[in-house]
Amino acid sequence: MSNENTDRVFLITGASSGIGAATARRAHEDGFRPVLAARSMERLEALAAELGGPKRTLAVRCDVSEWDQQQQMVEAALGAFGQIDLAFANAGFGGPRGFLKDTPEHWREMVLTNVYGAALTLRATIPALTESRGHLLLTSSVAGRRPLPGSMYSCTKHAVTAMGEAARQDLHGTGIRVTLIEPGMTDTPFFDNRPADALEDDDIARAVIYAVSQPAHVNVNEILVRPTAQAG
Ligand SMILES: NC(=O)c1ccc[n+]([C@@H]2O[C@H](COP(=O)([O-])OP(=O)(O)OC[C@H]3O[C@@H](n4cnc5c(N)ncnc54)[C@H](OP(=O)(O)O)[C@@H]3O)[C@@H](O)[C@H]2O)c1
């Protein structure tokens, strides 16, 4: 673990599953100290134990749609490790396509998690990232680059894509780098019916590690990764 990533603190929301958990595993392998945030504490604690326990990682309960919990997450990370070098706003979920298919209540949850939650993660971590001249990452999607028919989910991810570029411009001059991660179809519990010919969560984790392992003068702004078999 003696490389330049050693000990950098890497906060990840949505770390209890899929892309977030795979990124935490890769980050640990590369010498980062992951801070794992989500609502499912049992899963986070099991992952934290796998990744070396309290010296190397921290599990924090955080519903990203709650500002006080986001603030507590950042305070817990700073309390444990004294710094945050990378923040990955990754928590999110989808819903059925068709504007008459989903419920208004589910839309509300999705917007509050995917859009408001990501914005709160930015807001909560920017002071610590300014201190560390760190790196902010957001999980958008292929669905955040091209609209999908009747998809409110696609609308939320377009907002995240805009948020990444808005943050990049806002943070210019601070030394903070900003990266949008835009996965194509990836086989995770995101889907009730797991997809065939999809990416694996680790395929996206490797893209994240690529972005965060560049020299300080290189700002990888967007990475869009589709499975070879994906047409749209
Ligand atoms: N899979 C794909 O094909 C795909 C493609 C493009 C983009 N994405 C995006 O990738 C990100 C990760 O998804 P995934 O595929 O890895 O799915 P996943 O395995 O279902 O993981 C979703 C993660 O988000 C967390 N989460 C959901 N609501 C939350 C909330 N209110 N507060 C805190 N954490 C919350 C979940 O944890 P808890 O339930 O424990 O809170 C879980 O850790 C999402 O933003 C998704 O939109 C996925």
Side-chain angles (χ1 to χ4, degrees):
M1 287 204 292
S2 57
N3 64 35
E4 65 188 30
N5 295 328
T6 299
D7 291 344
R8 287 203 290 161
V9 177
F10 197 154
L11 183 149
I12 302 169
T13 71
S16 62
S17 176
I19 290 165
T23 301
R25 289 191 172 95
R26 280 277 170 188
H28 170 71
E29 259 179 43
D30 267 34
F32 295 92
R33 289 180 289 179
V35 173
L36 314 170
R39 293 164 305 177
S40 310
M41 268 318 275
E42 269 184 35
R43 274 191 264 158
L44 292 182
E45 277 166 356
L47 182 56
E50 178 193 322
L51 302 185
K55 282 198 179 140
R56 299 299 312 170
T57 185
L58 174 71
V60 193
R61 189 184 185 287
C62 177
D63 180 334
V64 294
S65 65
E66 298 291 341
W67 175 231
D68 58 339
Q69 295 187 32
Q70 294 258 8
Q71 290 174 289
Q72 286 158 16
M73 169 183 78
V74 166
E75 280 163 22
L78 293 175
F81 298 131
Q83 66 199 68
I84 297 172
D85 301 282
L86 306 100
F88 187 16
N90 167 71
F93 62 85
R97 290 185 198 175
F99 277 106
L100 300 183
K101 291 268 166 58
D102 209 350
T103 63
E105 294 72 24
H106 194 251
W107 279 358
R108 182 184 168 82
E109 287 307 306
M110 194 163 57
V111 171
L112 285 175
T113 301
N114 296 6
V115 183
Y116 181 64
L120 291 182
T121 301
L122 261 68
R123 192 184 177 103
T125 57
I126 282 172
L129 293 176
T130 303
E131 189 92 0
S132 62
R133 297 176 70 80
H135 198 144
L136 181 64
L137 300 102
L138 300 96
T139 306
S140 176
S141 171
V142 165
R145 300 301 306 180
R146 48 183 295 274
L148 302 178
S151 171
M152 263 305 279
Y153 171 72
S154 177
C155 300
T156 70
K157 289 300 179 178
H158 274 73
V160 175
T161 301
M163 202 184 300
E165 175 59 12
R168 187 191 70 77
Q169 293 181 34
D170 188 37
L171 297 173
H172 178 72
T174 63
I176 300 176
R177 290 179 277 175
V178 180
T179 303
L180 277 161
I181 301 295
E182 298 162 344
M185 189 171 282
T186 308
D187 180 17
T188 72
F190 178 91
F191 294 102
D192 294 333
N193 300 313
R194 301 292 283 261
D197 297 328
L199 298 169
E200 294 171 11
D201 49 18
D202 184 59
D203 296 325
I204 302 302
R206 293 197 313 280
V208 173
I209 295 299
Y210 168 79
V212 304
S213 301
Q214 299 304 308
H217 70 285
V218 179
N219 192 355
V220 178
N221 297 134
E222 292 187 57
I223 304 186
L224 194 161
V225 189
R226 285 185 178 86
T228 307
Q230 183 171 343

